[in-house]
Amino acid sequence: MARLRTEVPGPRSRELAQRREGAVAAGVGTVLPAFVDHAEPGLLVDVDGNRLIDLGSGIAVTGVGNPAPRVAAAVHEQIDRFSHTCFMVTPYEGYLEVCEQLAELTPGGHEKRSVLLNSGAEAVENAVKIARHATGRPGVVVLDHAYHGRTNLTMAMTAKDMPYKHGFGPFTPGVRRVPGSYPLHDGLSGAEAARRAVAAVDRPDEVACVVVEPIQGEGGFVVPAPGFLPALADWCRSHGVLLVADEVQTGFCRTGDWFACEHEDVVPDLVATAKGIAGGLPLGAVTGRADVMDAVHVGGLGGTYGGNPVACAAAVAAIDTLRDLDLNAAARRIGATVLPRLRALASDAVVEVRGRGAMLAVELATAEDAARVAATCHAAGVVVLTCGTRGNVIRLLPPLVIPGELLAEGLDVLEGAIQ
Ligand SMILES: *Cc1c(COP(=O)(O)O)cnc(C)c1O
């Protein structure tokens, strides 16, 4: 392919990979060991001059583009004014702007408050802290195939042992895992799956919150059966349990709505966000009902870097970009382009094609199949990721601004690899 100048990874990347071995902890994995020099719309250009088609957005982060012109300008402008004060020491307006935007964009017209953090795991962890404090209950309910992060609490909430939890215990107690909704494998309607889930909770009166990804990410891009989330939300309401939506991967137009919960008109009590929020700068947030959020005592929430001013400036610019370019419509167009093409694939290895908007997946029969398809794509210069509790799912998270011809070219490669 004309986009490639060398094999992938090329000689310069291989040199850097060798240097890395002597400096970077071995526990940090790599999907595609091509070192990046710079990015262009829909492309990552590596140090050997290879132009890789980006169907991963750095795991659903750079939906607005990479670099996104408005984000880059906002970051430059902010970093020249000041880089940090710590919002808890001396505040600044950018933090307020992000919280105001979050209140407006997250589901539900109720009064809301937000706290800003640095990552998705930190957002989920703070959502649980707030839910426990507000309810006075200790329990946390999570689902099979869940992924919520790598801190101690969020490891306990994450389902998959290898690589995320293996050897890292003991984990925090109080986390109860229940079956979710995985229509391909359980054959249940949403209502049936929800009944099965809540039946596995033995003491609802001790549960602070149920934490769900509206479409499961790392666990396999599992889209729950229609009605599952609304039924879970109803159960939560009737038992005084808070519903926390982990929208870290699904948020910010990824699925064709600002948040994936909106698809079924589910209004969570708390929403955890990160990834797509700030065009690549590290930022996470918890947004939720004012009465719940404000239950926590002054000083109970925060952190040195949470809501860093540069990250806030990037988030405001990223949200403006999502809005002005109507990237919800772009995500829907991506889904409408990709799903029929993948569904037309006639291959015994394909078990299911699923997803919504620009969060799309092909479940293959085995992890070996997925690894081989991914390796073929990578060698051809197309960045795809795998996921799934069994590692047998190819996931696509293209930048929402990807040029149509690049998306088509990337799909050609993926289709060829699957065939
Ligand atoms: C990535 C992810 C997290 C963790 O976010 P980090 O920023 O990596 O800590 C949590 N929940 C979901 C659904 C995610 O996809």
Side-chain angles (χ1 to χ4, degrees), residues 289-315:
R289 276 169 45 194
D291 59 317
V292 174
M293 297 292 295
D294 285 342
V296 179
H297 51 276
V298 174
L301 302 174
T304 306
Y305 292 114
N308 167 271
V310 182
C312 286

Side-chain angles (χ1 to χ4, degrees), residues 139-153:
V140 179
V141 171
V142 295
L143 303 181
D144 282 344
H145 306 288
Y147 182 85
H148 297 295
R150 296 171 180 267
T151 60
N152 188 276
L153 173 59

